[in-house]
Amino acid sequence: MKKPLRILHFSDIHVSAPVHRMRWSKWFGKRGIGAINLLRGRARYFDEVEEKMRALVHFKEENSIDIVINTGDYTALGLPHELVLARRLVDPMMYSPQSYLTVPGNHDIYVHEGESHYRFAEQFCSVLQSDLPEYCRGGHYPLVRFFGEDMAVIVLNSSKPNPKPWRSDGHIPRKQLEALDLLLQDERIAGRFLIVMTHYAPRLANGEPDRKLHGLRNADDLLHSCRTIERGAILFGHIHRTYRVDVPEVKIPLYCAGSATMKGHEGAWVYEIDGGKMDARRLYWSGGVYSYEPA
Ligand SMILES: [Fe+2]
Ligand SMILES: [Fe+2]
């Protein structure tokens, strides 16, 4: 009998290295406003990131996790030293690059500046290899990873720089969605349990779309593309609350990992896939450890 696959899904750890290390030239525009927000208190919500990540790594090692999924927002301001620190914190989960899947969040490619698009790939290149590279459209996505004969993960990038301070919305480029439509007709994908993951939430916990300036602008298009998936799930982060929601547009459930490190809202999911069925268990943070929430 085949062993069930166990997946840890966490997100939005928002590492914020001290802003005094930020060069003066970066204080202009959106990043300056973000840095002021950190100084005014936002950073306090994420000041135990290192402790919580060590606890999550410990949980992963103690609970026979086969696959780790992170749906982005590793950083607060998309600064190189934040990405380096975040990469170091998740490093123990990446010893097997094939079993770690990730995508940038909007905070990881915060603003347009020089090489900022490459910074994420620079830190995470070892886990950005696709098993079907012919479907990549501009960069690494859609990224496809096969697990045995029965399961596959499809990763879509919905994050983009948002230089205007009042915007933190995302969208999946049309070329990626066209590639997704083709992928879903590919016989190598057919019949598998399919996980589709991205950073932005296609729907909130109440089943409604997120606000225009904060949400996934083409959420309806993503759900439309996923309407034919019979067995699987759509995974995401961005909203700092852990929830599951079922919506009429698709036959598969939607799971938001919330934030693994935000004070008072810590959470993550473990999914167990066995015989084409998925069970989800929520994790909670208490007493310095991550544990399964009582059933
Ligand atoms: Fe976030
Ligand atoms: Fe986000």
Side-chain angles (χ1 to χ4, degrees):
M1 204 170 75
K2 260 193 246 173
K3 183 178 154 290
L5 268 179
R6 205 174 277 173
I7 303 171
L8 169 66
H9 174 203
F10 73 105
S11 199
D12 292 66
I13 66 171
H14 285 293
V15 167
S16 56
V19 290
H20 66 259
R21 289 181 57 191
M22 199 162 94
R23 285 211 312 269
W24 69 269
S25 58
K26 298 199 183 300
W27 281 87
F28 296 101
K30 175 155 175 161
R31 191 176 272 128
I33 293 168
I36 289 164
N37 280 335
L38 286 174
L39 291 170
R40 286 174 63 193
R42 191 179 197 270
R44 277 204 302 276
Y45 285 104
F46 295 97
D47 63 359
E48 294 163 343
V49 171
E50 297 195 31
E51 179 191 351
K52 288 168 187 169
M53 284 309 301
R54 277 195 298 273
L56 200 58
V57 167
H58 182 73
F59 175 91
K60 188 235 170 213
E61 284 164 0
E62 294 290 301
N63 287 277
S64 314
I65 300 293
D66 303 297
I67 301 167
V68 177
I69 285 178
N70 179 296
T71 38
D73 273 1
Y74 286 89
T75 70
L77 302 173
L79 291 163
H81 59 277
E82 290 178 330
L83 277 166
V84 169
L85 176 55
R87 172 69 174 78
R88 185 164 64 71
L89 294 176
V90 298
D91 194 65
M93 298 188 177
M94 292 166 64
Y95 64 88
S96 162
Q98 187 67 14
S99 59
Y100 190 96
L101 292 125
T102 195
V103 67
N106 52 307
H107 282 260
D108 304 324
I109 42 174
Y110 205 55
V111 290
H112 290 286
E113 58 174 7
E115 79 294 9
S116 66
H117 262 87
Y118 301 111
R119 281 186 197 146
F120 183 83
E122 203 172 73
Q123 293 304 321
F124 291 93
C125 58
S126 65
V127 295
L128 297 179
Q129 313 307 317
S130 177
D131 289 340
L132 294 180
E134 64 270 34
Y135 284 100
C136 294
R137 299 289 184 272
H140 300 273
Y141 306 98
L143 183 155
V144 182
R145 198 74 57 76
F146 292 129
F147 292 92
E149 300 294 311
D150 306 323
M151 195 188 98
V153 180
I154 301 174
V155 192
L156 300 162
N157 180 25
S158 51
S159 298
K160 60 182 178 61
N162 271 316
K164 291 182 178 138
W166 57 88
R167 283 185 66 169
S168 51
D169 55 295
H171 102 282
I172 301 173
R174 189 173 48 81
K175 284 187 173 179
Q176 281 190 56
L177 285 178
E178 286 169 0
L180 173 64
D181 291 340
L182 293 173
L183 255 170
L184 294 176
Q185 295 167 37
D186 190 308
E187 59 182 22
R188 291 167 290 181
I189 292 284
R192 287 175 184 260
F193 188 94
L194 280 186
I195 285 183
V196 176
M197 58 175 270
T198 194
H199 177 62
Y200 279 87
R203 290 292 185 263
L204 300 175
N206 61 5
E208 295 293 319
D210 196 357
R211 284 179 291 118
K212 204 171 170 187
L213 296 179
H214 183 260
L216 180 61
R217 290 205 163 217
N218 55 352
D220 289 350
D221 295 340
L222 171 63
L223 293 176
H224 185 74
S225 289
C226 294
R227 72 196 183 286
T228 57
I229 302 176
E230 297 288 340
R231 294 176 309 133
I234 302 177
L235 312 185
F236 48 90
H238 189 59
I239 307 290
H240 296 169
R241 301 286 185 277
T242 311
Y243 63 88
R244 172 196 165 137
V245 62
D246 295 270
V247 297
E249 293 90 340
V250 289
K251 298 169 208 153
I252 55 177
L254 279 58
Y255 286 94
C256 180
S259 168
T261 56
M262 185 180 183
K263 206 169 278 180
H265 297 285
E266 301 89 346
W269 287 103
V270 170
Y271 313 111
E272 199 166 286
I273 299 171
D274 191 9
K277 288 205 175 82
M278 182 166 120
D279 272 336
R281 289 185 74 182
R282 204 191 297 248
L283 302 190
Y284 78 110
W285 167 257
S286 178
V289 293
Y290 260 106
S291 321
Y292 284 114
E293 210 171 66

